[in-house]
Amino acid sequence: MDEPIPVTRTVDHGTAKLMPDVDRERAWLLTVDGAPQSYVDLDEPTHLEFEYTRRLGHVLDSVAAPGRPLDALHLGGGALTLPRYLAATRPGSRQDVVDADSALLDLVGEYLPVPADAGIALHGADARAWLESAPAACADVLIADVFGGSRVPAHLTSVAYAREAVRVLRGDGVYLANLADASPFAFLRSQLATFATVFEELVLIAEPGVLRGRRFGNAVLVASHRPLDTATLIRRTAADAFPARVEHGDTLRVFTGDARPVRDEDAVGSPVPPDGAFGIG
């Protein structure tokens, strides 16, 4: 039997590598310019290897009754880890995946294809431009996991962008975003202030070490107009291999402090990660 071999290809925004996992027969790690982007197990799409994707999965599990199909919009595609997860856990879901790197989508489609009946449509386009052209109230969930290199692009951090997210979500819809920052959390606090201008409920999920300022790391932002199931999120994230804290309500308002919402003209990308923050091997 032929062993899977790594694949390297120049894509629109860097050099992508697909590397097989020697411990799982049909599992692959995707990196772009050395930064890990996605992990996919083709035989077990519910396996979420990265901790931040597991936290996003916990939120997706809690936003509706188990198994209920959702209309989902993904900004940022990677190797389609979360679209595959939703297709497996909520069959019949309709999903649009938007990624500015069309060549990366082609690479993933060639080597890690999704079933034709999975209900996943791929779009090579800028995330905000696609969002602005999308119909109103077309999605139950919007998942933003967009990184230009290792930074969240500036045009996906402003109040104007947040208003577009609200517009495409249904009244009980939920917004999820993968962010990254470190103490003193100027970027993360600004994002909380920004999304608080358009959503009534906010939740932040991150490892305690990140929130205490000990290291750079991911933080999952969840926003909605309706109360979120924080009890379930607290229980599930606490049971993970790397437990996380779920901050909300007064505690989160104190964390946000006097941060101001971000305007388009003032927007900047998330901070550059320190060397090795998201490295592998």
Side-chain angles (χ1 to χ4, degrees):
M1 181 179 295
D2 293 336
E3 294 291 333
I5 59 174
V7 177
T8 301
R9 182 176 296 179
T10 299
V11 291
D12 296 336
H13 298 293
T15 300
K17 291 185 179 181
L18 286 172
M19 292 177 284
D21 186 340
V22 297
D23 295 321
R24 300 176 74 95
E25 185 175 353
R26 293 214 305 151
W28 296 81
L29 173 69
L30 167 68
T31 68
V32 177
D33 290 340
Q37 298 289 324
S38 300
Y39 180 99
V40 168
D41 187 329
L42 298 178
D43 291 330
E44 192 178 346
T46 58
H47 175 74
L48 301 178
E49 180 76 9
F50 294 169
E51 289 300 321
Y52 86 86
T53 57
R54 195 168 303 165
R55 291 163 193 151
L56 290 167
H58 292 328
V59 178
L60 292 173
D61 290 345
S62 71
V63 298
R68 187 192 119 191
L70 297 174
D71 292 336
L73 170 58
H74 302 261
L75 303 181
L80 312 180
T81 303
L82 286 171
R84 299 173 200 267
Y85 179 83
L86 265 183
T89 58
R90 298 182 178 275
S93 293
R94 295 181 299 178
Q95 304 187 70
D96 287 294
V97 180
V98 182
D99 199 297
D101 199 322
S102 297
L104 179 60
L105 290 178
D106 290 342
L107 173 66
V108 171
E110 180 179 349
Y111 286 91
L112 310 176
V114 295
D117 60 354
I120 300 171
L122 307 182
H123 311 273
D126 174 79
R128 180 157 165 184
W130 200 93
L131 189 66
E132 290 171 346
S133 67
C138 66
D140 298 307
V141 292
L142 194 168
I143 304 104
D145 188 8
V146 184
F147 281 77
S150 297
R151 304 180 68 190
V152 177
H155 68 306
L156 303 182
T157 67
S158 69
V159 172
Y161 161 75
R163 287 174 179 157
E164 286 299 319
V166 169
R167 185 185 64 82
V168 303
L169 284 169
R170 298 185 175 120
D172 61 349
V174 178
Y175 175 86
L176 304 82
N178 176 35
L179 306 174
D181 201 1
S183 181
F185 303 113
F187 174 74
L188 194 53
R189 295 180 201 271
S190 76
Q191 289 306 282
L192 291 167
T194 295
F195 281 85
T197 66
V198 294
F199 286 103
E200 296 174 23
E201 301 286 337
L202 297 180
V203 167
L204 190 68
I205 308 172
E207 286 184 32
V210 172
L211 293 176
R212 290 174 185 149
R214 294 177 180 170
R215 66 179 187 82
F216 189 97
N218 295 95
V220 170
L221 170 65
V222 189
S224 178
H225 288 309
R226 61 180 170 94
L228 296 157
D229 188 355
T230 54
T232 294
L233 293 177
I234 290 170
R235 184 176 67 253
R236 296 190 65 174
T237 57
D240 281 337
F242 294 93
R245 271 171 40 192
V246 178
E247 302 288 1
H248 59 99
D250 290 341
T251 303
L252 196 56
R253 283 186 283 274
V254 170
F255 180 85
T256 305
D258 59 359
R260 300 180 63 83
V262 177
R263 302 179 301 171
D264 269 341
E265 54 267 36
D266 303 324
V268 296
S270 62
V272 177
D275 290 343
F278 296 134
I280 56 171

